[in-house]
Structure formats: C-alpha cells, structure tokens
Amino acid sequence: MDGDARGGRLTLLAPSRFIADYVGNHHAARLLAVVSGFDPSVREVRIEAE
C-alpha cells in the first residue's frame, strides 16, 4: 500500500479494488484515529485501488 496526505485527507493506494474495499469497510475509522493522533490536520482517510 502506498499513500499521500494533502489538504486534511490521507489517500492510501491498495493493489486491488477488493483490498481497497475491504480496508475501507473494516479499518478506515481505526486508521483515521491512529493517523490523526500523529497528525491532527488529517480529517479523512480514503482507500483507493491503483
């Protein structure tokens, strides 16, 4: 997985749509909580397929 953070949004790139959907549905809230603990400017996490 690769990623980029701009404008309060962290975008993670997954190798397939299946993985992007799974991570988005099961782990996005947890990822946001952890990432925003390190960088409070991040207000959204998006997972996209490459």
Side-chain angles (χ1 to χ4, degrees):
M1 225 178 241
D2 198 8
D4 182 32
R6 292 185 195 167
R9 178 187 307 159
L10 172 65
T11 302
L12 299 174
L13 298 176
S16 71
R17 170 60 38 208
F18 174 79
I19 293 173
D21 289 344
Y22 183 87
V23 172
N25 290 330
H26 293 90
H27 301 291
R30 194 174 324 177
L31 285 168
L32 178 58
V34 170
V35 170
S36 65
F38 287 100
D39 184 353
S41 70
V42 175
R43 297 178 311 276
E44 180 184 0
V45 173
R46 292 181 55 179
I47 298 92
E48 298 178 353
E50 287 186 297

